[in-house]
């Protein structure tokens, strides 16, 4: 499916959200102005004070409404957070598809993906009540905290992480197409996302322990890390450079697999 305009974009997002979204609310917040205001202000408030300090009472004050009105949409603040996290991962998946669909080579696709995960997510002008850039910041901080045993038992969070896994699968597929012999594409895909998230936080809050000060530097770092790893060790690269000339000269070419998993006999 080619995703080129806002109508197709909205259709795509509707499809990927409709599968599970109803479990994440009591009343769809997108169906009313109050619901949209709840989403908009909850993103702003969680980003400002953190999820631990966030309450429906504080949110009600910000939207000039009552706690009871918020409880008509969400059972509790964790259900609201899971809704926001699901939105984030689905929006990330959409951006991966949107920015890779017209790329001609796997390497170009990978570079486009790295750019997507290195920068704050682009805002969707058709969904003005969701600030995707601020939501990205929340998702980066809160996603990691949800790994505790307490929350991993929650079926809603399981579904959120299913969406995260699908993003990893998309990236791993591209990595595998670049180097089919590479046996750790899934691990590398998750490392890519985790590293991008971690370095974004470090660049803002822990500058003393990072050399990467902005998204451009994060993008460059990740490209170098991943593409170097995918093309193999230095000797493998050198031998692959010599291979065409060796074959042209009539030499017997035994192979260039110098990975740790290769035996001497191979």
């Amino acid at each position: 499916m080619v995703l080129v305009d806002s109508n197709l974009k909205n259709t795509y997002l509707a499809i990927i959200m409709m599968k599970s979204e109803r479990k994440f609310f009591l009343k769809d917040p997108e169906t009313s102005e109050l619901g949209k205001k709840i989403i908009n202000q909850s993103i702003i408030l969680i980003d400002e004070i953190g999820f631990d300090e966030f309450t429906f009472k504080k949110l009600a004050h910000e939207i000039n409404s009552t706690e009871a009105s918020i409880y008509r949409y969400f059972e509790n603040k964790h259900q609201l957070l899971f809704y926001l996290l699901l939105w984030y991962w689905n929006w990330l998946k959409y951006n991966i598809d949107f920015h890779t669909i017209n790329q001609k080579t796997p390497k170009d696709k990978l570079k486009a993906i790295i750019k997507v995960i290195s920068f704050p997510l682009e805002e969707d002008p058709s969904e003005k009540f969701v600030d995707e850039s601020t939501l990205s910041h929340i998702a980066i901080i809160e996603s990691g905290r949800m790994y505790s045993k307490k929350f991993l038992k929650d079926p809603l969070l399981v579904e959120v992480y299913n969406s995260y896994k699908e993003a990893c699968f998309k990236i791993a597929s591209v990595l595998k197409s670049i180097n089919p012999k590479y046996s750790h594409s899934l691990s590398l895909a998750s490392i890519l996302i985790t590293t991008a998230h971690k370095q974004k936080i470090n660049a803002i809050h822990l500058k003393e322990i990072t050399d990467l000060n902005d998204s451009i530097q994060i993008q460059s770092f990740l490209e170098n890390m991943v593409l170097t790893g995918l093309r193999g060790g230095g000797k493998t690269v050198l031998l692959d450079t010599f291979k065409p000339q060796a074959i042209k000269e009539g030499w017997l070419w035994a192979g260039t697999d110098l990975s740790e998993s290769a035996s001497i006999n191979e």
Side-chain angles (χ1 to χ4, degrees), residues 15 26 50 113 202 213 235 251:
I15 291 173
L26 300 176
I113 289 172
N202 289 351
N213 300 315
K235 289 186 287 294
W251 292 10

Side-chain angles (χ1 to χ4, degrees), residues 8-238:
L8 285 174
K9 182 189 301 182
N10 292 338
T11 300
Y12 179 93
L13 288 174
I15 291 173
I16 60 180
M17 292 293 281
M18 69 184 289
K19 295 179 181 178
S20 55
E21 196 180 47
R22 292 176 184 174
K23 304 174 186 176
F24 289 79
F25 52 71
L26 300 176
K27 179 181 178 181
D28 188 348
E30 294 188 56
T31 60
S32 71
E33 289 305 313
L34 176 59
K36 292 178 180 180
K37 189 180 294 186
I38 288 172
I39 297 302
N40 178 266
Q41 289 299 316
S42 65
I43 292 173
I44 295 172
L45 192 56
I46 292 173
D47 188 54
E48 287 181 353
I49 67 176
F51 183 69
D52 288 342
E53 297 298 319
F54 172 80
T55 65
F56 281 178
K57 182 177 181 179
K58 293 177 181 178
L59 177 59
H61 176 75
E62 292 295 324
I63 64 175
N64 194 28
S65 186
T66 64
E67 286 184 73
S69 66
I70 300 173
Y71 279 109
R72 287 201 293 270
Y73 289 85
F74 297 97
E75 289 184 358
N76 51 54
K77 72 175 190 176
H78 286 99
Q79 187 185 44
L80 171 57
L81 177 62
F82 294 161
Y83 174 90
L84 296 177
L85 292 179
L86 181 68
W87 185 293
Y88 169 79
W89 288 115
N90 283 339
W91 184 236
L92 178 67
K93 287 190 299 179
Y94 165 77
N95 272 272
I96 289 174
D97 285 344
F98 184 79
H99 289 283
T100 59
I101 193 68
N102 292 320
Q103 300 298 331
K104 295 182 178 180
T105 69
K107 188 175 180 181
D108 288 338
K109 289 179 184 291
L110 179 60
K111 288 184 175 182
I113 289 172
I114 290 175
K115 184 174 182 179
V116 166
I117 65 176
S118 298
F119 285 76
L121 289 183
E122 298 176 4
E123 295 187 15
D124 181 0
S126 66
E127 302 288 3
K128 295 182 179 180
F129 65 97
V130 177
D131 181 344
E132 278 87 4
S133 179
T134 304
L135 178 59
S136 297
H137 188 240
I138 294 172
I140 290 170
I141 294 176
E142 299 300 336
S143 289
R145 299 178 63 203
M146 296 293 105
Y147 274 117
S148 68
K149 292 181 179 179
K150 173 184 176 183
F151 293 117
L152 282 177
K153 296 178 181 179
D154 191 309
L156 293 185
L157 185 60
V158 170
E159 195 143 353
V160 170
Y161 276 114
N162 283 339
S163 190
Y164 161 67
K165 291 174 189 176
E166 289 170 7
C168 289
F169 295 154
K170 288 178 182 290
I171 298 173
S173 176
V174 174
L175 295 173
K176 201 71 174 176
S177 64
I178 293 176
N179 184 354
K181 292 184 178 180
Y182 188 72
S183 57
H184 308 295
S185 56
L186 276 173
S187 297
L188 186 55
S190 63
I191 288 173
L192 255 178
I193 293 176
T194 303
T195 302
H197 280 184
K198 184 66 176 177
Q199 291 305 317
K200 287 178 186 178
I201 294 299
N202 289 351
I204 298 173
H205 303 293
L206 296 169
K207 295 182 179 180
E208 298 84 359
I209 62 170
T210 183
D211 303 310
L212 310 175
N213 300 315
D214 55 42
S215 295
I216 295 176
Q217 291 182 347
I218 293 172
Q219 177 187 3
S220 177
F221 169 75
L222 292 177
E223 281 188 11
N224 181 65
M225 179 185 76
V226 175
L227 292 175
T228 299
L230 284 175
R231 71 171 183 249
K235 289 186 287 294
T236 302
V237 175
L238 181 61

